[in-house]
Amino acid sequence: MAAGAAFRVAARRLGLGAAPRRALWGGFRKKEQELEVDKIVEPEKKEPSLICPPPRSRKYLPPEDLQSSLEFLVREIFGPSIPDNWQQTPLKENRLKYRLLAQLASELGHTVPNSQLHLMCSAKDVLNFYSTPVKDVSKFDELCAAELPPNLKITWEQ
Amino acid sequence: TAVQAWVESLRHPDDTRLGLADLHPDVFAVNPRLDILHTVAMWQKNFKRISYAKVKTRAEVRGGGRKPWRQKGTGRSRQGSIRSPLWRGGGIAHGPRGPTSYFYMLPMKVRVMGLKVALTVKLMQDNLHIVDCLEMPTADPQYLVELARYRHWGQSVLIVDINEMPENIENAAASLKTITLIPALGLNVHSMLKHHTLVLTLDTVAFLEKKLLWHDTRYSPLYPFSMPYSDFP
């Protein structure tokens, strides 16, 4: 009982600490406002290395010296192990196939899509693939690829 | 005849063609069974369905115990209760009765085949991409959107990882509607068909191949697979 009375007296004495508490609350509000302002400012800056370039068109026209450059690449990558007709070199080893296709793609700007990678068995298949031109015309396709407002979607299936 | 796919990366927009990944032909080059795809997609839609429609029959409608008028003598048709299905306000004769469940399970091998066919279709229609790791330079959702646009991925992207994903991509995909991130255990035919492109990590590819190929050469179970097995993958 006496301990309880002493506790209540101590609590009343501590009640005077209510004034500095209000100052603390005001201080917290100011800090919260400062944090909000900082968060609004930061995301506006974007690193220039992460800004994506606009999507490239998938047009592809085979260059004129395709055969000679392809033969040169094949000889350079495969080295001595080539049959007489260079177009029949099998692309069995994954590393050589990857090197050849990656170099061709970076030179010509046109990659073999995933669905046709398993069809590339010899250099002749690669040659045939790279000699077929690819166009992405057709007005509806252009419309789909053009910059649309974000709430407009065009589904055009041929 | 193995199938292959390019390995890409999410760190930089131009990070395509980092390597060539070999894919198992029995998972990524099966026959394109569209009928199995349809059955599995319909199963996914319907097996969870419980229709709660219920209407009262003539026995449940309030009232209608007494014969409204005597059998013979009045010129009217003979009626036994005012709540028969012929009457206005009467019960329904053959209506929906109570919650009905449309639950059914397709055989496990059919569902597995559906997943394999869906993966094959995504690869052969050039909608599958393989990423080595889901590390992102920023947690900015706009970066993901622009990356998908630059690489001509499609309107909606489904990204699959095996267990834990880096925080960056989690925060970025959380605020986007067209790009979803799911664990490998949550891969299903409906999501694959609904999203335009599918992006798998190398770990996911290994996991899927291991799990899906086991069903080709397994014994039929002596007890259900839901109970523990020592060699279940």
Side-chain angles (χ1 to χ4, degrees):
Chain A
M1 283 297 289
F7 187 73
R8 278 176 224 157
V9 165
R12 275 175 210 162
R13 279 182 199 164
L14 282 173
L16 292 172
R21 270 184 215 163
R22 282 171 208 158
L24 274 176
W25 276 121
F28 276 137
R29 274 177 209 158
K30 285 177 194 169
K31 283 178 193 172
E32 281 171 10
Q33 284 171 0
E34 284 171 4
L35 284 170
E36 284 172 5
V37 168
D38 287 332
K39 279 173 195 169
I40 293 165
V41 167
E42 281 171 11
E44 287 174 357
K45 305 170 193 169
K46 241 189 173 178
E47 295 174 18
S49 62
L50 291 176
I51 296 176
C52 278
R56 301 173 291 196
S57 71
R58 295 196 238 190
K59 262 191 195 173
Y60 169 71
L61 288 169
E64 289 175 357
D65 59 341
L66 176 68
Q67 273 227 358
S68 52
S69 48
L70 186 61
E71 186 178 348
F72 180 67
L73 264 179
V74 166
R75 285 189 199 282
E76 184 188 330
I77 290 175
F78 280 79
S81 59
I82 300 181
D84 290 333
N85 188 5
W86 67 275
Q87 291 188 2
Q88 283 169 5
T89 39
L91 297 177
K92 282 217 165 171
E93 250 192 78
N94 273 346
R95 289 181 211 171
L96 303 174
K97 185 172 180 178
Y98 167 68
R99 275 181 68 186
L100 177 66
L101 291 176
Q103 278 206 320
L104 272 174
S106 47
E107 275 181 34
L108 302 172
H110 185 49
T111 348
V112 184
N114 284 343
S115 44
Q116 288 167 23
L117 271 178
H118 72 286
L119 297 171
M120 304 275 146
C121 301
S122 65
K124 191 174 182 191
D125 300 327
V126 182
L127 180 67
N128 286 337
F129 174 78
Y130 274 104
S131 33
T132 46
V134 172
K135 59 167 187 177
D136 57 341
V137 202
S138 161
K139 286 183 184 175
F140 282 103
D141 284 339
E142 280 175 19
L143 257 185
C144 296
E147 279 186 8
L148 300 166
N151 52 353
L152 177 64
K153 301 268 182 282
I154 302 182
T155 20
W156 168 245
E157 285 161 302
Q158 284 136 347
Chain B
T1 53
V3 209
Q4 285 150 348
W6 292 110
V7 176
E8 307 178 4
S9 160
L10 297 176
R11 293 183 198 96
H12 189 79
D14 276 325
D15 250 354
T16 46
R17 306 190 300 264
L18 284 178
L20 264 191
D22 257 341
L23 306 170
H24 201 289
D26 279 340
V27 172
F28 286 91
V30 290
N31 288 319
R33 293 284 305 267
L34 296 183
D35 62 326
I36 294 187
L37 269 186
H38 171 81
T39 39
V40 175
M42 287 299 111
W43 168 76
Q44 265 191 277
K45 190 177 170 191
N46 287 332
F47 83 104
K48 288 180 267 192
R49 177 180 170 206
I50 307 178
S51 79
Y52 297 97
K54 181 175 183 180
V55 290
K56 297 190 182 327
T57 51
R58 61 182 289 172
E60 292 166 359
V61 176
R62 184 88 170 166
R66 183 179 62 212
K67 196 169 166 65
W69 46 79
R70 53 182 197 273
Q71 176 83 3
K72 304 184 69 63
T74 68
R76 309 163 76 169
S77 65
R78 47 192 177 183
Q79 301 294 337
S81 82
I82 57 168
R83 302 298 190 198
S84 97
L86 274 50
W87 283 64
R88 173 197 178 274
I92 307 290
H94 294 296
R97 292 299 301 151
T100 42
S101 111
Y102 291 80
F103 175 78
Y104 66 103
M105 290 304 280
L106 290 176
M108 191 188 275
K109 295 189 188 176
V110 172
R111 287 176 268 145
V112 163
M113 192 66 189
L115 276 175
K116 290 180 190 168
V117 171
L119 286 169
T120 315
V121 161
K122 282 292 172 198
L123 175 67
M124 290 309 166
Q125 291 188 337
D126 209 19
N127 290 335
L128 182 77
H129 298 271
I130 301 192
V131 179
D132 57 347
C133 186
L134 287 184
E135 279 171 8
M136 290 252 288
T138 39
D140 193 16
Q142 267 311 103
Y143 173 71
L144 257 185
V145 171
E146 287 173 8
L147 186 82
R149 244 205 111 194
Y150 177 70
R151 295 195 189 173
H152 301 286
W153 273 359
Q155 284 290 82
S156 46
V157 182
L158 184 66
I159 309 184
V160 190
D161 196 4
I162 188 159
N163 261 329
E164 290 169 1
M165 298 123 197
E167 281 183 13
N168 272 347
I169 199 159
E170 276 190 9
N171 298 332
S175 46
L176 284 174
K177 269 193 177 180
T178 53
I179 303 187
T180 31
L181 193 61
I182 54 168
L185 291 168
L187 190 64
N188 57 80
V189 166
H190 179 266
S191 317
M192 282 205 271
L193 293 176
K194 189 78 179 175
H195 293 79
H196 197 269
T197 25
L198 182 63
V199 173
L200 305 175
T201 45
L202 287 172
D203 301 325
T204 324
V205 169
F207 175 82
L208 284 173
E209 286 183 356
K210 181 181 167 201
K211 293 271 181 178
L212 295 178
L213 284 172
W214 176 74
H215 290 277
D216 282 344
T217 53
R218 67 165 167 91
Y219 290 111
S220 49
L222 295 172
Y223 53 92
F225 282 120
S226 46
M227 295 154 82
Y229 271 84
S230 58
D231 53 350
F232 192 80

